[in-house]
Amino acid sequence: MNSRTESALNKQLTSLLLWIFIACSLFTSVVFAEQVASLPQPSTDNTFFKGKQYFRQGQYLNAIAEYQKALVYSDHLTLEEHETLADTHHEIAQSFKRLNDFKNAYKHYALSFNYYQHATNTIAKGKALKNMAMSQNKLGQYVTALEYGLQSLEIQKVHSTKSDNAQILLLIAIIYRNIGDYDTSLKYIKQSELLYKEMGDLRHLAEVDNQTGLIYTQLAQYDNARFFYQQTIALPKAFVKPETRAAAFRELASINLLVGNNQSAINMLTQALNIYKELGIKLRITEVKLLFAKTYLENKEFSLATDLFKQTIELAKSLNNKPLHAKALIGLGQIQLNIAPEQSVILLNEALALSVYYDSKKDQIESYFWLKTLEKQRNNYVKTLEYTDKQYSLEKEIRQEEDKANLTREKVILESHKLERDLGLLQEKIKREELEVERKNDEIELVKQANKIAALEISEKRATNTMLTILLVFTITLFFIVFRSFSSTKKQNLQLDYLASRDPLTECYNRRVFFEQLKSDLKDKAKRQHYSLIIIDIDSFKSINDQYGHGVGDQVISATAQIFAKRTDNKYCLARFGGEEFCILLHKTTGQQAAEFAENLRNDVEQHTFLQGLSVTCSFGVTEYSPSMSTQDQFIDRADTALYHSKNKGRNRVTLWDESNKAFVDSPHVKPSPAQDCSK
């Protein structure tokens, strides 16, 4: 074998060995890969299952951690992978929702929706939008919440069940209620109610009734609210969540307390408390006990009220709930006002400190009110005025905040209407396009029927002309009937207006007209110049009632009013303020002039001989309006304080409060009324 042949054989052998090596390597790689694949691997399904288990056990943070392990991202996701990611983000959002972390819940609901956009599950898209709406509603972003809610409704109308439709309708109703658009809220809640009734879903019907009751409560339509809460209670217990029933009892109790039906309030609260105790909801138990305490306080059952306020304080402390703690302290301080004034001051100041901490102006105002009342009883006028000014300052801040909130609410309502309008316009546009397609398809048929339509139109026009003639005759006849009825009604209304503005016993203006006149005058800068107020109280009137009877008491009030009316002679606004109290508003009259006028009135009463030879005297409090008085209540309060001064100095006298010097000015008259019972 020559060298050339040997070299060729060697090359062939080397090539063969190389191919054998490559084949063995490939085989080994395949076998290794199969063995690796057969080993136990972390499973996405397994971590998702663990997350579900933790969620059912209420371990929401652990559930979130497991779900996040199941999130697998890549640049090229299949439809199935998009749907899996969407489902996982949904479960994470549900866990954050249970933790009341609605900011993170919304974030993951939005991610879930984005991944569903790439999938084919339209129903899931609608539910994701509903959950996004719910989260934004909880965060107070009502316009955004409404936008998502309306989008979800459009999807679910077509693709979802009645139950899903009812849920989104109820959510939209709640959003509109939070916005303050109660009419629209009731419209959506009615649609939700009809769907639940069709399905016979009593559990959700109870929730709808409670939500309807809340709307009517906010509208102060308590009879309507009571009707819906009672419907919840009337449903079979087995089909209604206990907490829903408890909420109905609790809200009924609140309404009964507002309207003064305290015994019914106690019965309702007892039912609610029993349910919350069975469920072990400590916060609700605390809230109900506070309502119990307030009810017993209204009933003047101070021992029971004191015990319940103390229980509420201990429960609120254990929950670290400062608002409930402060409210209970205020109630307890109110009870101690006449029993232990020093203890009352401590309790009210503690409540005040707490309400400042959690920034509740309403609770601060209530604390100042009772502190002012206590200091007034002690005749500590400096402290009384200090607390009064603080109270009115806070009330002014609240009014400013309410005005700002009302403006924001109006803007939100306007934006919500714009959203609905835009959605409606879009729907109309789609319908018009569909109708245009149909019109083109039916064009040939329309041409054939043109003559028939023309004939029908002529017939319709004749019928329309006939109807218009009949309607014209009917309208003219109706006009004459309405005109005659209007003339009669106008006379009756004038009589009713007089009766509505007058006190029936004295024929003086009543309390409502007094406040309307005062409010109107204080708005007018010109009228506020030299504008004075007199508050009058008949001395020892209780003694007259006790000794001679209420009939004689009424005659004394009536005769006194006639004396005042002769002197005022329609120049000033004379009103019966309540009981034996009268008020007079004096235009273009300084405080000193008003005090002199009051002295004349005092003398007129003193010199008058009343029924059965009774001698009657009156005490007077006078003040002149000053720019430093920021509200009408402060104006009245200054005159009322002057009246108290007259009473404390022996009655039958006139006291002027001088706002510029912050001092009382007594009238020259010093002769006190005969010693009698000092009560009014």
Side-chain angles (χ1 to χ4, degrees), residues 47-57 63 67 91:
T47 55
F48 195 86
F49 176 75
K50 280 186 180 179
K52 281 278 190 185
Q53 283 185 316
Y54 281 128
F55 184 89
R56 292 191 194 100
Q57 293 165 8
Y67 287 135
E91 295 301 330

Side-chain angles (χ1 to χ4, degrees), residues 276-287:
Y276 287 136
K277 282 181 176 179
E278 288 177 10
L279 296 172
I281 305 174
K282 198 172 180 181
L283 175 61
R284 295 300 188 198
I285 292 169
T286 310
E287 290 172 345

